[in-house]
Amino acid sequence: CLKENRAVQECSADTYLQLVDACGNSVSRLATCLEWVKQGRHFVRHCRRDVQRLEMCAQRELGWLRPIIREYFKQPTILMNVERPKPPDHIPPGLAQKYVLPPPARDMHPDAKNI
């Protein structure tokens, strides 16, 4: 574990140094804003502009793109070919139609997979 920890620390330090070399002013402005948040002088939302400036600088100078967070939390839609259950025998025939759901539309979601 110690070797992996050392590698992660070196990678983090290298990344930070690259960012400071390319976008030092933006890094220091964001750090100052976050310190003010820590001291209770600001709310985190006041730092959004500084975060955007740092991201734009990192993209322009280093070619780094921040990943889109919602992509990590997207729930996949999976359609399955399973027969619908029949209504129980104790339900009168006229009411049975209310309890049987229609089959799902196949074009519900563009990423849906038919298993």
Side-chain angles (χ1 to χ4, degrees):
C1 257
L2 293 176
K3 290 179 183 178
E4 290 87 359
N5 185 24
R6 168 78 84 199
V8 169
Q9 287 179 349
E10 288 176 1
C11 178
S12 300
D14 291 343
T15 302
Y16 178 73
L17 291 175
Q18 287 178 3
L19 191 60
V20 169
D21 287 343
C23 306
N25 188 29
S26 297
V27 171
S28 65
R29 288 182 69 158
L30 179 59
T32 302
C33 186
L34 293 175
E35 277 296 319
W36 288 356
V37 168
K38 184 179 174 183
Q39 295 171 5
R41 296 165 60 184
H42 270 333
F43 292 109
V44 176
R45 69 174 180 261
H46 293 287
C47 300
R48 287 185 184 152
R49 254 190 214 144
D50 295 322
V51 170
Q52 289 173 347
R53 287 184 187 130
L54 180 60
E55 288 176 356
M56 288 189 307
C57 179
Q59 182 179 359
R60 183 179 60 246
E61 300 295 326
L62 301 169
W64 294 353
L65 290 176
R66 180 174 179 230
I68 300 171
I69 300 298
R70 69 175 174 260
E71 296 296 322
Y72 291 113
F73 298 108
K74 186 188 284 186
Q75 295 288 330
T77 303
I78 298 174
L79 299 177
M80 300 176 67
N81 287 332
V82 178
E83 284 189 39
R84 297 275 178 180
K86 302 283 187 233
D89 293 333
H90 67 275
I91 298 177
L95 294 176
Q97 294 301 322
K98 292 182 181 179
Y99 293 99
V100 177
L101 298 174
R106 292 292 176 205
D107 59 347
M108 287 175 59
H109 194 275
D111 297 334
K113 293 185 175 129
N114 193 1
I115 297 177

